[in-house]
Amino acid sequence: MPCRQTLLWVVSFALFPLSADAADRVDFNRDIRPLFAAKCFACHGPDEGHREADLRLDRREVAVKQAIVPGHPEQSELMRRILSDDPLDQMPPPEVKDRLTVAQKQLFKRWIEEGAEYAKHWAFVPPEKPAIPLVQNIKWPRNEIDHFVLSRLEANGMSPSPEANRYELVRRVYLDLIGLPPSPEEADAFVLSDDPLAYEKLVDSLLASQQYGERWARVWLDLARYSDTNGYEKDRDRSIWPYRDWVIRALNDDMPFDQFTVEQLAGDMLPAATQDQIIATGFHRNTMLNEEGGIDPLEYRFYSMVDRVATTGTVWMGLSTGCAQCHTHKYDPITHTDYYSLMALMNNADEPDLLIKTKDGLAARGKIEDQIHTLRSELSKLFPPIDGDGPEQERRQKNLELQFNKWTAEARKSAHNWKRLVPTKWETNLPKLEVLEDGSLFSTGDITKRDEFQLWFELDEAALPVSAIRLEVLPDERLPAGGPGRAFYEGRKGDFFLSEVNATLGEAPVLFDSASHSYGKISIGSGSADAKNVFDGDGSTGWSTASREGESHQLVLNLKEPITHAGSLKIRMLFERHFAASLGRFRFSVVGSEAAVNASQLSVENERLLTEQPEQWSDDERNQLRQYYLSIAPEVAEARRPIEKLLRELPSFPTTLVMQERDQDNPRQTFRHDRGEFLNPKEEVSPGIPTFLKEVSKSAPGNRLELARWLVSDENPLVGRVTVNRAWQAFFGTGLHRTSADFGTQTDLPTHPELLDWLAVDFVDRGWSMKRLHRQIVTSATYRQSSRVTPELLSRDPQNELFARASRFPVSAEVVRDVMLKSSGLLSPKMYGPSVHPPQPASVTAYAYGNPKWNASSGVDRYRRSLYTFSKRTAPFAAYQIFNGPTGETCLSQRDRSNTPLQALTLLNDEMFLEMSREIGRNAASLKQTPEVTAKQIFRRYLTRPPEPEETATIVSFYQKQLQRLDAGELSATQIMGGKESTNEQAAWAIVARVLMNLDEVITRT
């Protein structure tokens, strides 16, 4: 936005003039770079794809060869073009509306006369800690921050504002540090204290509060683009709330920001990584996931990587790295190749789900498992003792033993001694296969919508003859939902779809005659799939075990003609579906039989036992078979019911989305994509940081962990500045550098560059403590100023760039609701756990894919802090959206602010807020106090400060008018109170609460 850029630069220059010495010499970063960025770099900058006439003005060594003669503006082609009136020569060209002014042309001339010196962009130079400025008013500063602020004010002939009154200050610091207003009692405790350190002690208590982590987690989740759904069309639910809870705990524990960074970007790669460190990697799993049938999963994984590169650039470098996806950055020194090298550093991770096994979860599950074990032991006693030395058994025990013997005799007839096959060679289109100790194959790496596995087995004489081939699909904790498949879509996690199987012996085809499976479906909700689908030549049919994930299943293929001679057996498996769904773990076996073989419901081990003579069974093996029989025997169906009930009650472990680095022997390749298109990969690129940053870096990150550590090292000149600037923005509404997501060459200079650098270096030197930084800011005299805007301040510093007063701005969307919850007394203190559903109109989600229902939570979950509200990307919570809440689709470093009639209508009419006002009404009426006392109490719940006498009188008058209307029947107390039997006094005070909720002061941080 060149026009705005230049305007802000000019206004800044006019408002805050330079000292005489500084004004005498042209400064490249302050004076020339903004003009180059606004007027020239689009055509003569780093992006060679859009560069005109091969003239490059962003690098001095090139510019002085082609367009600039240092010391001689009259000989410089740049000046000739700038001053030319010829439309063919003039620069910028006549069609560009944003022309250079006379003053700007003279600035270029002076700069060239002075030698046309360039300087590295200030943000790309490692910060150094400047000296604390001297000030005249030595009584005002409370810490180092104030020296920098006051120095600028005094240089401009201005003074800071008086300190805010204590009620204003206590409300401000509560909202800023914990995102909640103080209760009247909490406010009075501070206001009436005569302790000279009362404010500092208050700050420390708020920083130690568990609510601190909840307030600041919401700020971080904006950057992390957190949501409880996948996004895109289907936008199905996802489980990633454990990551949100990790952020809250990390902030409450004041985890150093460098560690906070490393664990989120590469916690899985740390030595002996803990469960919490792996959960932290959910940061980059917050990307959207497209589950539409027609998409290429690898393409949308590429788009996820694009998002991760852009987000990493925003959060830790404050750079618009995403601009280099399609071409070299037009303004900043980030090349097209640099972009994909940065992507390569993060591109070698897989994206599994993680089972969260907490102590409490394990204990709860273990308790029920113990009960199941006890009941099964009791069930086993229905059999006579194996050694036969016990007392005479009851008839039912003998009968059960008889039935068991009959079952084993019958089951042994269909049991077969399968011979396990282990492949000697295999090939796939993309996934990697490895052989495990039990002879099964495990699949890792990327999968597609059309995966093909080819496996070669050497059949020796011991395996012959072969009349049937068995495929076992096996569960594995490493697979989605426990496998056996690798489908990662919500609703299909752990599923697979085997479209076709064929085999050859040498060059001769092996034909199948019949098939069976132990369980099979084509899709969830469909009937049983015909096992012969896998060799019917139709890729749209096949075998799946949908809805029975986490279990073993079998497919048996009978051959038309048995294999009777040794040779190389090749089996080809095709997984083709509208979604990616190949197998994760499986195993092949063969058998020779005169009759057709059917897939068994028995486990492989139990079937093996049944092929042996019963007298060969050990006691443990016999008990193993008895336990299985007890699980199916109709004679003990009634006795099994308590066990089955407990099995249904077994709590499942929650899951979350995490990153997992690939093995070094199976790295994922990264290519430069021409024009940023997935289908246009060019040369392979090596992992690395942008070239221009290598100039100040001693290390060369080669993987995700090294990148994470580099980002928070002193070799990254940006991270300290970017991080403290975001903190300043949170407390003052805007940062010391106004564009918190972009510290590049196209932006304005910081308002207080020395303060920004001092804070950045101090933040790092003092251990990366976010709580210490926040304390430093809120205990400063700068922060404690009144936010009153005087006519003089409005005239001299309308944007408050000098911080001669405190800022006032609307609280965030979630804080709006939390303020109302606490004021009404309904706020639940419950922390952590799955997201909840506060009340909202059903129409909000009605038009989302599948018309999902929004079932409002009940009990304490209904009134939990807004941080825990379920976030649906395609249908965000309506009340938050109206107050500029995020959608979770992209990284957001600063929310928009607005003031619209719809916000007032929401506070007046949304059922959620009506419910809160009714609670106020019921409580107020129950106190049986005078209207004046009640009015003051309700006022203070919302606004903290005591009301002025005129305000109290106005509230009481309004209350009495509403009460008269209710008494006269003009209004219905039952209707106002949501259909519940209520008194007129309750309804009247509820109306008062609705009005007070709508005061600007209630939802404004002043």
Side-chain angles (χ1 to χ4, degrees), residues 678-824:
F678 168 72
L679 294 176
N680 207 0
K682 297 300 182 182
E683 72 279 1
E684 185 177 358
V685 298
S686 300
I689 58 175
T691 304
F692 81 97
L693 288 171
K694 293 178 182 177
E695 299 171 6
V696 295
S697 179
K698 298 176 184 177
S699 58
N703 60 38
R704 190 160 40 94
L705 179 57
E706 292 172 0
L707 169 66
R709 288 172 170 161
W710 178 87
L711 284 170
V712 285
S713 72
D714 57 8
E715 296 177 26
N716 176 8
L718 292 152
V719 63
R721 290 176 173 128
V722 170
T723 306
V724 300
N725 189 67
R726 273 199 307 266
W728 190 275
Q729 173 183 279
F731 289 110
F732 290 93
T734 54
L736 295 166
H737 184 61
R738 296 294 162 132
T739 49
S740 59
D742 189 0
F743 277 57
T745 60
Q746 187 73 346
T747 61
D748 300 321
L749 291 171
T751 58
H752 296 69
E754 294 83 7
L755 174 56
L756 180 62
D757 280 6
W758 189 92
L759 284 172
V761 175
D762 188 66
F763 174 60
V764 175
D765 288 349
R766 298 298 186 93
W768 300 87
S769 168
M770 293 300 296
K771 284 190 176 182
R772 182 186 175 279
L773 173 63
H774 293 168
R775 189 185 194 280
Q776 198 172 31
I777 292 173
V778 301
T779 56
S780 69
T782 304
Y783 175 85
R784 299 193 210 186
Q785 295 176 96
S786 167
S787 62
R788 182 172 176 267
V789 184
T790 65
E792 181 186 4
L793 285 176
L794 186 61
S795 171
R796 297 200 60 183
D797 187 9
Q799 300 300 320
N800 197 28
E801 293 191 6
L802 290 178
F803 302 105
R805 57 180 172 84
S807 305
R808 58 172 63 205
F809 45 85
V811 298
S812 63
E814 296 84 357
V815 175
V816 170
R817 176 173 173 269
D818 291 346
V819 165
M820 305 308 174
L821 278 172
K822 183 171 183 183
S823 300
S824 68

Side-chain angles (χ1 to χ4, degrees), residues 143-160:
N143 63 28
E144 297 87 345
I145 289 172
D146 302 322
H147 283 267
F148 289 97
V149 172
L150 185 57
S151 174
R152 285 292 307 278
L153 288 172
E154 290 178 344
N156 284 272
M158 298 172 66
S159 299

Side-chain angles (χ1 to χ4, degrees), residues 285-564:
R285 289 300 311 278
N286 280 308
T287 49
M288 296 197 294
L289 173 65
N290 195 334
E291 298 180 282
E292 294 179 51
I295 62 103
D296 181 342
L298 295 183
E299 178 180 8
Y300 278 85
R301 190 192 175 280
F302 170 76
Y303 294 147
S304 291
M305 291 308 306
V306 166
D307 173 72
R308 288 167 188 161
V309 173
T311 298
T312 302
T314 296
V315 175
W316 285 280
M317 295 190 286
L319 293 178
S320 52
T321 53
C323 292
Q325 175 192 347
C326 304
H327 51 74
T328 293
H329 203 296
K330 283 182 176 294
Y331 305 104
D332 293 333
I334 306 172
T335 69
H336 195 29
T337 299
D338 282 341
Y339 175 90
Y340 289 98
S341 292
L342 187 58
M343 179 183 286
L345 286 168
M346 298 182 279
N347 198 27
N348 200 41
D350 288 327
E351 302 174 2
D353 292 1
L354 177 71
L355 281 175
I356 311 297
K357 296 184 178 180
T358 62
K359 289 182 180 179
D360 290 344
L362 288 167
R365 190 175 177 90
K367 184 178 180 180
I368 295 178
E369 287 174 339
D370 288 345
Q371 296 177 45
I372 293 171
H373 177 73
T374 300
L375 290 174
R376 282 177 171 164
S377 297
E378 292 296 321
L379 202 60
S380 298
K381 293 177 181 178
L382 296 176
F383 280 107
I386 292 175
D387 57 18
D389 294 334
E392 183 68 25
Q393 302 300 312
E394 297 179 3
R395 183 180 59 83
R396 64 175 185 172
Q397 289 179 306
K398 291 182 177 180
N399 181 61
L400 186 61
E401 179 74 4
L402 179 62
Q403 295 301 322
F404 170 69
N405 290 334
K406 285 183 178 180
W407 172 79
T408 55
E410 190 64 30
R412 291 185 68 247
K413 294 177 183 178
S414 58
H416 295 87
N417 189 13
W418 292 87
K419 300 177 181 66
R420 187 176 298 168
L421 294 181
V422 179
T424 55
K425 187 176 76 167
W426 53 86
E427 292 178 1
T428 74
N429 60 306
L430 189 60
K432 178 191 174 186
L433 298 179
E434 61 175 315
V435 178
L436 305 183
E437 288 184 5
D438 64 355
S440 65
L441 288 102
F442 188 73
S443 171
T444 56
D446 294 327
I447 59 175
T448 72
K449 293 193 296 183
R450 192 183 190 282
D451 282 344
E452 183 177 335
F453 297 172
Q454 297 185 74
L455 305 106
W456 285 264
F457 306 90
E458 293 303 320
L459 295 180
D460 56 19
E461 294 296 333
L464 300 178
V466 174
S467 65
I469 299 173
R470 180 178 68 186
L471 168 63
E472 298 170 67
V473 295
L474 305 169
D476 193 291
E477 195 173 82
R478 294 170 290 178
L479 298 171
R486 294 189 61 198
F488 51 85
Y489 302 99
E490 293 297 334
R492 298 301 297 259
K493 282 190 176 181
D495 193 14
F496 67 92
F497 191 84
L498 178 59
S499 305
E500 290 290 309
V501 178
N502 58 55
T504 56
L505 186 67
E507 298 298 323
V510 175
L511 303 179
F512 302 127
D513 180 55
S514 62
S516 60
H517 53 59
S518 57
Y519 171 79
K521 284 189 175 183
I522 291 181
S523 62
I524 295 172
S526 67
S528 178
D530 190 332
K532 291 196 296 185
N533 287 346
V534 298
F535 59 88
D536 64 359
D538 183 355
S540 65
T541 64
W543 180 48
S544 161
T545 57
S547 76
R548 294 277 290 271
E549 288 73 38
E551 302 175 14
S552 297
H553 306 284
Q554 299 180 12
L555 172 73
V556 172
L557 303 171
N558 289 290
L559 310 186
K560 280 192 174 183
E561 298 291 339
I563 298 173
T564 57

